[in-house]
Amino acid sequence: MTTGARQRVHDAHRHLGVLPAFPFYGGPPVNPDTTARATIAELRADLDAEGTEFALVIPNYGVPDPTASFALNELVVEAAQTDERIRAGLWTSPRPQDAVATEKALALAGERGVSALKLSFLLGGRATDDDCRPQLDAIFAAAREHDLVVHVHTSPGAASDVDEVGQLVDRYADDVAVHLVHMGGGMSGHIKLIGQKFFAWVAAGKRVYTDTSWAIGFAPRWFAAEIDRHGIGHDRVLFASDQPWGDFEGEHARLAAATGDGELADLVFRRNFEQLHRLT
């Protein structure tokens, strides 16, 4: 792959770190994230090969024990302080049993190169759970203090459904940027987000953003059409590869097909990242 075809691509969500094998769904222990990178040098080589000029890099996660992800926070901060192309996103947790680890993570929020905080309800907790509220308040307070973006995983059903995590937008996004990863997640999430919630939030002044990683084929095209129809939202969508759980080539091709080569493409592949992560 040559870099010429992808000048100034910015990746708004990818991961660093290798996780232990895990017996998902009752099967044998596996490592499905085959392109996971263990070192900063490997990450930098990927950025070179892709032609990625800037990237937000977050600890890898996916196994039920979040200890491995918390342990990677210092690595992503080191990556950001090693290579000016990299911005760090810190792993945090809304779960009360992770409160001490989250407090330690938030102590890094003011470090040079840190640009985001990541939380997910895949491993437990819920946006409406009173036991999670102290951790959520602390995470968003740190984001507010340091002008960081809060990344929230979305996937259909249960605690990560956009109906659930959308309550974080309602509660916190007046003055904190909330990035809903995966465009609501899956068929139902895409339809809820694009058809109901996203443009209403933008019109109401909420600082809400999303990306097209993991999106079903119709969704980026529909989103682009709705941006044109509503006349808003063009500055709130970003390209993200979600490596190693996503695929840079496929994610790039799908979004490029949806946005063409005009102003919207320039925004989603470059300028929105620059504005959101304070590169300009």
Side-chain angles (χ1 to χ4, degrees), residues 9-273:
V9 171
H10 304 344
D11 187 346
H13 184 99
R14 67 191 297 152
H15 300 278
L16 177 62
V18 173
L19 300 172
F22 186 80
F24 295 98
Y25 308 115
V30 294
N31 291 101
D33 52 339
T34 58
T35 59
R37 303 308 189 206
T39 70
I40 297 169
E42 290 173 319
L43 170 63
R44 296 172 78 182
D46 283 347
L47 299 183
D48 291 340
E50 297 160 1
T52 298
E53 189 177 40
F54 291 101
L56 179 71
V57 178
I58 296 166
N60 200 3
Y61 79 103
V63 298
D65 182 0
T67 303
S69 300
F70 277 115
L72 292 168
N73 275 336
E74 292 186 359
L75 181 63
V76 298
V77 173
E78 181 184 352
Q81 295 180 353
T82 299
D83 191 318
E84 64 181 8
R85 294 175 295 179
I86 298 170
R87 298 295 182 271
L90 301 173
W91 177 260
T92 66
S93 170
R95 305 192 314 168
Q97 58 266 48
D98 298 328
V100 172
T102 292
E103 183 179 6
K104 181 179 178 182
L106 295 180
L108 299 172
E111 289 287 323
R112 178 171 59 86
V114 173
S115 187
L117 305 174
K118 173 65 183 280
L119 67 88
S120 172
F121 296 100
L122 283 179
L123 306 186
R126 209 174 192 96
T128 55
D129 187 341
D130 289 341
D131 289 337
C132 292
R133 186 63 180 262
Q135 289 71 240
L136 289 169
D137 284 348
I139 291 165
F140 280 91
R144 187 179 299 110
E145 178 183 355
H146 297 285
D147 195 17
L148 307 179
V149 184
V150 177
H151 274 225
V152 186
H153 171 86
T154 64
S155 54
S160 293
D161 193 274
V162 71
D163 285 339
E164 290 286 325
V165 300
Q167 295 184 60
L168 301 179
V169 176
D170 293 332
R171 189 185 305 162
Y172 298 109
D174 287 335
D175 56 359
V176 176
V178 177
H179 180 138
L180 300 176
V181 179
H182 308 317
M183 197 175 277
M187 177 69 74
S188 63
H190 297 335
I191 292 175
K192 290 176 186 178
L193 188 70
I194 301 169
Q196 302 173 26
K197 297 178 180 293
F198 192 81
F199 294 98
W201 279 328
V202 173
K206 299 293 186 180
R207 297 185 63 195
V208 61
Y209 297 80
T210 194
D211 65 71
T212 57
S213 63
W214 291 18
I216 299 172
F218 76 94
R221 292 182 183 276
W222 183 31
F223 214 142
E226 288 298 286
I227 287 170
D228 184 62
R229 185 172 75 86
H230 286 276
I232 57 175
H234 54 280
D235 55 346
R236 305 300 184 92
V237 184
L238 300 92
F239 166 72
S241 72
D242 198 34
Q243 289 278 123
W245 299 102
D247 165 53
F248 185 97
E249 293 278 1
E251 299 292 353
H252 187 282
R254 182 165 54 250
L255 187 55
T259 58
D261 58 3
E263 182 180 10
L264 183 58
D266 190 42
L267 286 165
V268 299
F269 281 109
R270 292 168 287 275
R271 285 161 48 198
N272 289 346
F273 185 104

